[in-house]
Structures are given as C-alpha cells and as structure tokens.
Amino acid sequence: MKTNRFWAWLTFILGAAYFIVPLLATFEFSLRMRRGEYSFDAYASVFADPYFASSFGYSVIIGLFTIVVGVLVVVPAVYFVRLRMPWLRPFMEFITLLPLVIPALVLVYGYIRLYNSSSIIPFTGSALGTDILLTGAYVTLALPYMYRAVDNGMRTIDIATLTEAAQIMGANQAQIISRIILPNILVAILSGAFLTFAIVIGEFTIASLLNRPAFGPYLVGIGTNRAYEPAALAIISFIITWGAMGMINVLSRFAPRTSARTD
C-alpha cells in the first residue's frame, strides 16, 4: 500500500514539475530585463505598448461574438436533436469532431478560396467581412467544446417534460429555448463559453492568414524582435487561459447533479 502511494506521489510530482518548472523559468527570465536585478519592466513595456491593448481588445470582441454565435447555433441544434431526432446524434457528434481533425491551416485556406474578393460572397473584400469570416472560423474551431458542454448540460434535465409543460402553458419554441432551456443549462453554456474564449485569445493561424489584428499574431510578432517581452506575454497568456479554466471549475460546482429520466 505504501509502495503504491509512493509511486502515485512520485508520478504526480514529476508530472507537476514537467509543467511548473518551464513556467517558473519563463517567469524568472521575464524579470531580467533590468540588468543585475529583477524587475517588472518587461510587463510594464508590454502594457505600455498600444498594440497590446488594441490586439487584446480586438480578440476579446471577436471572442464575445464567437460565443454568442456559437450559443445561437449549438443550443437550438442540440435541443431539437435530443427532443425530436435522437437518431441524428451520432452524425452530429461526428460533424462536431471534424475541427479537431482538420488543421486550421486547411480550414482558413478553404475560407479564403471560397470567400475571396472575386467570389459570390466576398467576405475578404472588406474589413467587416473578414471579421465576420474570422468569427465564423472561430465558431467552427470551438464547436467540439461548445457542443459537448451544451449536450452534457441538456443531459441533466428532462427536456421532454419541460417542453410539454411549457407548451401546455402556451409557450412557443423560441420561448421554450430562451426562457426554460437556457436558464437550466446556463452553467454548461458558460463552461463552453470560457473554453471558446481561451481558444480565440491564443489562436494564430487563421487570424494571421486573414490579416486581422488579433492577439495571437501579436504574440508571435513581438517575439521576433524582442527578448523579454515575449516571456512576459507568455505568462500573461497563461494567466488568462488558466483563469478561464478556473472559472469552468468553479461553475462546475453549481451544475445540476441529477440525470434526466430520458436520454
């Protein structure tokens, strides 16, 4: 018993060190901008850079639009499939897994080819159109995570009974989804939203090839000509990402624990 516990702790410590030691080394290096002493000059330089605020703000806005569009697409789709077309669930699960298999590079080249300025829908012909295209691409990238979060949330409630009760009270489908289903799966939606936000903040390939001023390309661009600021940005990005992951962990404590009577 003691031997098993020893190996369990040893495995845990080695695994933790594998992640923590490089992070500590990066943090320590980011403090060396001032020769001979530790300082937060690299962080001050990053926050003073106007491109940092503009790129981060741009990614936050795109991330919020991505979350809204993802919720509007995924929630009704999962609701109707679970309620009326359960035979379609395997097909939906397969479709939502495709973004994990298809590289983002292939995806963005397909978008550029299909929606270039000479096509029927010239999204890339204007900044607004390119932003819309970027949002759609991010919705696709986040689809596996948003879909599973919403699907798991709906699994904990009895959709059929709630829908039947609402219809007896005279509610239409839009009212059922917005006033009954959404409040009951809000924790699951927020979990998917934080995952989506983390993906959008750090994404580089699609934003770079669409030539958008997002945070991901900024992170890569600043690393080409500076030494200490990239390390500081890596720590900032880590804090943002793990902050989102921590919020998911906190919200999961409030998720309903009872399973629906029907699946």
Side-chain angles (χ1 to χ4, degrees):
M1 187 68 179
K2 292 183 178 180
T3 303
N4 293 336
R5 184 176 298 178
F6 169 77
W7 285 109
W9 275 106
L10 180 62
T11 303
F12 172 78
I13 292 172
L14 291 176
Y18 180 80
F19 291 101
I20 295 175
V21 171
L23 183 65
L24 291 176
T26 302
F27 177 68
E28 192 271 341
F29 180 76
S30 70
L31 302 177
R32 288 179 172 271
M33 189 172 183
R34 187 180 300 178
R35 180 172 298 180
E37 61 179 297
Y38 289 126
S39 70
F40 289 92
D41 290 352
Y43 295 88
S45 176
V46 167
F47 288 122
D49 188 354
Y51 291 107
F52 170 82
S54 61
S55 63
F56 184 75
Y58 176 85
S59 289
V60 168
I61 293 173
I62 294 295
L64 293 177
F65 276 106
T66 302
I67 291 169
V68 171
V69 174
V71 171
L72 292 177
V73 170
V74 172
V75 173
V78 175
Y79 169 75
F80 284 113
V81 168
R82 293 190 68 90
L83 182 65
R84 305 190 185 280
M85 297 177 290
W87 53 269
L88 197 59
R89 285 191 63 202
F91 178 75
M92 281 195 64
E93 291 179 355
F94 173 77
I95 293 297
T96 56
L97 285 175
L98 287 179
L100 299 177
V101 179
I102 301 175
L105 185 64
V106 175
L107 185 67
V108 68
Y109 271 120
Y111 284 149
I112 294 173
R113 179 70 175 174
L114 189 59
Y115 300 112
N116 59 61
S117 57
S118 60
S119 66
I120 300 177
I121 309 177
F123 277 133
T124 61
S126 64
L128 178 60
T130 308
D131 291 339
I132 294 173
L133 187 59
L134 181 64
T135 302
Y138 284 163
V139 170
T140 302
L141 284 184
L143 188 60
Y145 312 100
M146 181 64 77
Y147 170 79
R148 268 145 191 82
V150 172
D151 188 60
N152 290 333
M154 287 199 186
R155 189 177 299 166
T156 63
I157 61 177
D158 192 341
I159 297 176
T161 302
L162 291 174
T163 300
E164 183 179 354
Q167 289 173 340
I168 293 174
M169 299 297 294
N172 56 38
Q173 292 294 339
Q175 291 172 330
I176 293 172
I177 294 175
S178 61
R179 298 184 181 181
I180 298 175
I181 302 301
L182 278 176
N184 278 281
I185 62 170
L186 184 59
V187 173
I189 291 175
L190 290 175
S191 297
F194 283 117
L195 283 171
T196 300
F197 182 78
I199 291 171
V200 171
I201 288 298
E203 201 281 327
F204 165 75
T205 304
I206 297 177
S208 177
L209 291 176
L210 290 179
N211 195 27
R212 303 315 297 148
F215 192 58
Y218 170 78
L219 290 175
V220 176
I222 200 172
T224 60
N225 53 15
R226 300 188 188 183
Y228 300 97
E229 286 86 345
L233 278 170
I235 298 299
I236 294 171
S237 300
F238 175 85
I239 293 173
I240 294 171
T241 302
W242 279 91
M245 299 299 104
M247 289 301 298
I248 294 174
N249 186 39
V250 171
L251 290 172
S252 66
R253 299 175 184 269
F254 301 96
R257 300 298 180 185
T258 58
S259 298
R261 290 178 305 193
T262 58
D263 190 17

